[in-house]
Amino acid sequence: MTRKVGEINQRVIDLLDLDIEAGTPIFTGKSNIVHMQKNHAQDYKAYRKYIPAIIETPDYVGINPKDDSIEYVKIFEIDGNFVKVAVRVSDSGNFYARTIYARELDKLEKFIESGNMIKY
């Protein structure tokens, strides 16, 4: 049930100074989907179809200082939220979209001011 939802592109690698090869695939697996459905059910239902687009053309990217996940952010002007997709590397070395959730834009502004998010 693992499926590819995107790739880590050279621009993200350069912006975040990552030691990853361009074109590295990003997947979702059953445990990732279960996590998103359980912990962010409404956000997953509303935005799951956008996961590939968020990864391909984010508005902002960053590294989460708590777990080193790569964070892709897209602003959805329709509802005034930003949506974050967090991508983490597994023990096997594969990258997975681990979670997705929406937040208010003022929280994004704080991430940008703190330097945790960089304009894509």
Side-chain angles (χ1 to χ4, degrees), residues 28-90:
T28 57
K30 184 175 181 175
S31 65
N32 308 119
I33 293 168
V34 167
H35 171 83
M36 290 184 248
Q37 289 173 326
K38 180 180 175 187
N39 295 300
H40 307 286
Q42 289 182 332
D43 296 334
Y44 178 72
K45 184 177 179 183
Y47 299 106
R48 70 179 174 218
K49 65 183 173 191
Y50 300 109
I51 291 173
I54 294 168
I55 291 169
E56 184 178 345
T57 57
D59 293 314
Y60 292 88
V61 293
I63 299 289
N64 185 317
K66 293 179 185 176
D67 63 11
D68 291 328
S69 61
I70 303 169
E71 297 182 327
Y72 292 83
V73 168
K74 190 79 169 170
I75 296 171
F76 283 78
E77 308 264 343
I78 302 164
D79 55 17
N81 288 328
F82 72 91
V83 177
K84 184 186 287 186
V85 173
V87 173
R88 292 190 204 152
V89 66
S90 69

Side-chain angles (χ1 to χ4, degrees), residues 12 15-16 18 59-73 82 84-85 101 107-120:
V12 170
L15 286 170
L16 301 178
L18 301 174
D59 293 314
Y60 292 88
V61 293
I63 299 289
N64 185 317
K66 293 179 185 176
D67 63 11
D68 291 328
S69 61
I70 303 169
E71 297 182 327
Y72 292 83
V73 168
F82 72 91
K84 184 186 287 186
V85 173
Y101 57 89
K107 292 202 183 248
L108 176 59
E109 291 170 14
K110 291 177 185 176
F111 288 134
I112 294 167
E113 288 170 10
S114 70
N116 288 335
M117 283 290 149
I118 300 168
K119 181 113 174 108
Y120 184 78

